[in-house]
Amino acid sequence: MTIDSDPAWGTATRGVRAGTHRSPEGEHSSAIYMTSSFVFDSAEACAARFAGEEAGNIYSRFTNPTVDAFCDRLAAMEGGDACVATGSGMAAILATCLATLEAGDHIVAAHTLFGSTIGLFNNYFGKLGIRTTYVAPENVEAWKAAVEPSTKMLFVETPSNPLTEIVDLAALGALAEENGAKLVVDNCFCTPALQRPLELGAHIVTHSATKYLDGQGRALGGAVVGDAETVGNQVFRFLRTGGPSMSPFNAWVFYKALETLEVRMRAHCESAARLAQWLETQPGVAHVYYPGLKSHPQHELAARQQPGGFGGIVSFDVHGGRDAAFNLINGTKMLSITANLGDTRSTIVHPASTTHARISAEDRARAGIGEGLVRISVGLESADDIIADIRRGLGGHQDG
Ligand SMILES: *Cc1c(COP(=O)(O)O)cnc(C)c1O
């Protein structure tokens, strides 16, 4: 039995109910199909399946019932017609690009993208003859100026990491449309609980399921969501042949985690907003970056574009540069010092010496990532405890 989605359902309902594939055993919670291949009653049936004359599973690099259940549920939440699951978030980006681009094509991308995405574009696509031009994410005019006749893809993350700049997705969707290009949005920071790029004009959404979709720091995975031709056919055929497929076990972890995505994201957003407001009142803090703050230059755009909430990532500059930032981080006791994000556990990191250490000091300064910048991925601990831990860190700095 399969329960597909109902277009009238809200995101929370889709997360709990969409993509329910129930076996004849009648299990209430979904089963895990840990199998690499599938068997047939006869040589004829096997031949018909391979010839595509009969629908069904052949081999789990192509399709698997647990992976399909995760894909159906995520597609319903994002509002897409097709979804392909991959072994990691990077594999989702790799599959999307290799399936849709060819030598001579050009990408316009935000310069604030996840570091490995920039590495993939520069070090690997570059040598295949696919060029990338980087622009400031929030500057629509810069995107327009960077588009060339060979531009086939616009690639963004919004809010940006770590400064939470907001990209106007409707404007970029229209720009892509006018130029025969596709707008690809890495929706890792928001998830469909907060923002649905396909409804705003994006053509493809990619995910690192490793972050908020799991939300508990357990498994690596990724996904691509979009229309039936681009994702259901082109990206799927690349997956079948290229093989960056998702493990059924990981698919089950993500599938179950989607049931709590909406409530988890709401809690992340609530605590992040409280933390951001509190930080703005602290004398040791020079500036707070959070789209939910009235002081954020794109607060209105964020409110329109992210109806589910402003997200769980808060960054801020402390007075006193790197020493002050390190003192703050070392002064916390509960927060995890790690570059990962989207976990139940709050994490704290110094971007200039970790996630953004590979770019030159000059480029970092131009991007506004200073030595006093600290990024927090707000977890699901009590907000009071998160604030108390950061107060301890800030206090450590003030004491010397
Ligand atoms: C982590 C991350 C990725 C890569 O995902 P993996 O699952 O680690 O491969 C891509 N984009 C963003 C925004 C990320 O945070």
Side-chain angles (χ1 to χ4, degrees), residues 87-93 112-117 155 157 159 161 186-189 206-211 219-222 339-341 375:
S88 70
M90 288 317 303
I93 297 169
T112 47
L113 292 183
F114 185 64
S116 297
T117 308
F155 197 107
E157 292 164 21
N161 175 25
D186 179 337
N187 203 23
C188 176
F189 274 49
T206 67
H207 271 288
S208 168
T210 317
K211 311 293 168 51
L220 277 170
N340 200 17
L341 59 90
R375 187 197 76 193

Side-chain angles (χ1 to χ4, degrees), residues 218-254:
R218 299 170 293 189
L220 277 170
V224 186
V225 188
D227 64 85
E229 168 52 26
T230 317
V231 175
N233 183 30
Q234 290 175 249
V235 179
F236 173 67
R237 276 193 287 125
F238 173 78
L239 182 91
R240 234 186 111 123
T241 311
S245 313
M246 177 180 278
S247 143
F249 183 82
N250 286 7
W252 181 82
V253 169
F254 300 132

